[in-house]
Amino acid sequence: MRDFDLQPAKDLGLPEAERARSLQREPGLFSLLTSHLWWGVVRVYLKVFHRLRIEGREHLPSEPPFVLVANHSSHLDALVLAAALPARHRRYVFPISAGDVFFETKLATAFSAWCLNALPMWRKNAGRHAMGQLRERFVAGDAGFILFPEGTRSPDGELQKFRAGGGMLVAGADVPVVPCYLAGTHDALPKGAALPRPRSLKLTIAPPQRFADQANDKAGWCAIATQLEARVRALRSSSEA
C-alpha cells in the first residue's frame, strides 16, 4: 500500500500537447477514466480473440518501481504486458514507445498518452540524456516501465540483440527487472500488417533480477543487456518445449 504524500504534479502547468509527450507526465482524472475503459476492452479482446495465457504472474513485483523487459515483434506486445498487470499498477507503469511512431500526430499522441499510458523515446535522441530522465523518475520510486531492449520490432519474430539502453536505465539501481517472453504476437500481428489475426498468445514471466552491484558505465550497460537477452532466450526455449 502506497503512503499518502500530497505533492504537486511534475507536469503541472504544461500545455496539453506538451504534457502528453512529457517524460514526467502524471495521470489525471480524464486519463484514469479513459485508461480504465480502454484496458477493460483490451483484456476481453486478448482473452477472447487471442486466448491469451499468462504463466508466472506471481513473479510480478507487488508495487512499482520495476521494469518489465521482453522480446518485441508486434504492436500487440505492450498491450499484452500491460494487460497482465493488476489494475492498480497501470497508472504508474509506462510502456516506453517510439516517439516517431506513437507521438507524431495529435491523434496518435492522445491515444498513446491517455489510453496506453506510454512515454515517448525519440530514437534519434535515445542517448544518455533521455535515459537519464527516465532513470531519475524510476529511481525516485514513483514509476515502472515496460521496455523492449531490441529497440524495434523484429521483422521475422526472431529475437534480436538487446541494446545497452536498458542497462543504462537500471545499472546500479536496486530495483527489480522482470524478464518476459511473448509467444504468438508476431503471428498475430507482424510488422507491416494492418489488422491482427486470431492467433493464440502466451506471456511467460520470470523471477525478477536486480543490478544494484552493476557498474553504471558502458561495460555495465552491455553486461546487463547480455544477461537479460540470455534470460529471455531461455524463457523462449522453455516456452516452446
Side-chain angles (χ1 to χ4, degrees), residues 168-199:
M168 193 182 299
L169 181 64
V170 302
D174 189 19
V175 291
V177 181
V178 185
C180 304
Y181 180 71
L182 294 149
T185 55
H186 178 263
D187 291 335
L189 186 64
K191 190 173 184 178
L195 295 172
R197 297 174 289 194
R199 302 292 190 269

Side-chain angles (χ1 to χ4, degrees), residues 46-102:
L46 291 173
K47 183 176 182 179
V48 174
F49 193 70
H50 293 295
R51 301 180 296 280
L52 174 63
R53 292 181 295 139
I54 301 174
E55 291 186 0
R57 196 193 294 266
E58 68 275 9
H59 298 313
L60 291 172
S62 59
E63 294 289 344
F66 58 82
V67 177
L68 305 183
V69 298
N71 57 306
H72 192 28
S73 59
S74 172
H75 283 322
L76 291 173
D77 296 337
L79 294 182
V80 173
L81 288 166
L85 296 170
R88 69 182 186 278
H89 283 176
R90 290 196 200 107
R91 65 179 295 188
Y92 301 109
V93 179
F94 302 88
I96 306 302
S97 302
D100 55 325
V101 175
F102 291 94

Side-chain angles (χ1 to χ4, degrees), residues 27-40 114-115:
L29 179 60
F30 172 76
S31 62
L32 288 175
L33 292 174
T34 302
S35 178
H36 179 74
L37 293 172
W38 165 256
W39 286 111
W114 311 130
C115 290

Side-chain angles (χ1 to χ4, degrees), residues 55-236:
E55 291 186 0
R57 196 193 294 266
E58 68 275 9
H59 298 313
L60 291 172
S62 59
E63 294 289 344
F66 58 82
V67 177
L68 305 183
V69 298
N71 57 306
H72 192 28
S73 59
S74 172
H75 283 322
L76 291 173
D77 296 337
L79 294 182
V80 173
L81 288 166
L85 296 170
R88 69 182 186 278
H89 283 176
R90 290 196 200 107
R91 65 179 295 188
Y92 301 109
V93 179
F94 302 88
I96 306 302
S97 302
D100 55 325
V101 175
F102 291 94
F103 289 83
E104 271 294 291
T105 68
K106 290 183 179 179
L107 181 60
T109 295
F111 174 76
S112 300
W114 311 130
C115 290
L116 302 181
N117 203 32
L119 295 179
M121 179 57 65
W122 304 94
R123 287 184 282 201
K124 293 182 179 179
N125 187 36
R128 187 165 188 171
H129 175 70
M131 278 295 181
Q133 294 182 60
L134 292 175
R135 180 183 171 91
E136 286 178 10
R137 184 167 189 180
F138 178 60
V139 172
D142 68 344
F145 298 123
I146 293 173
L147 187 67
F148 300 107
E150 291 164 278
T152 187
R153 286 170 293 160
S154 169
D156 57 7
E158 293 298 316
L159 190 65
Q160 303 177 99
K161 183 178 177 61
F162 278 19
R163 301 181 183 182
M168 193 182 299
L169 181 64
V170 302
D174 189 19
V175 291
V177 181
V178 185
C180 304
Y181 180 71
L182 294 149
T185 55
H186 178 263
D187 291 335
L189 186 64
K191 190 173 184 178
L195 295 172
R197 297 174 289 194
R199 302 292 190 269
S200 296
L201 306 180
K202 180 181 178 182
L203 169 62
T204 306
I205 304 170
Q209 299 178 242
R210 293 177 182 264
F211 299 97
D213 296 331
Q214 187 67 62
N216 188 16
D217 56 25
K218 186 174 182 179
W221 308 333
C222 292
I224 291 171
T226 298
Q227 291 180 52
L228 290 174
E229 180 184 337
R231 189 69 186 97
V232 173
R233 288 188 183 278
L235 287 176
R236 174 176 183 168

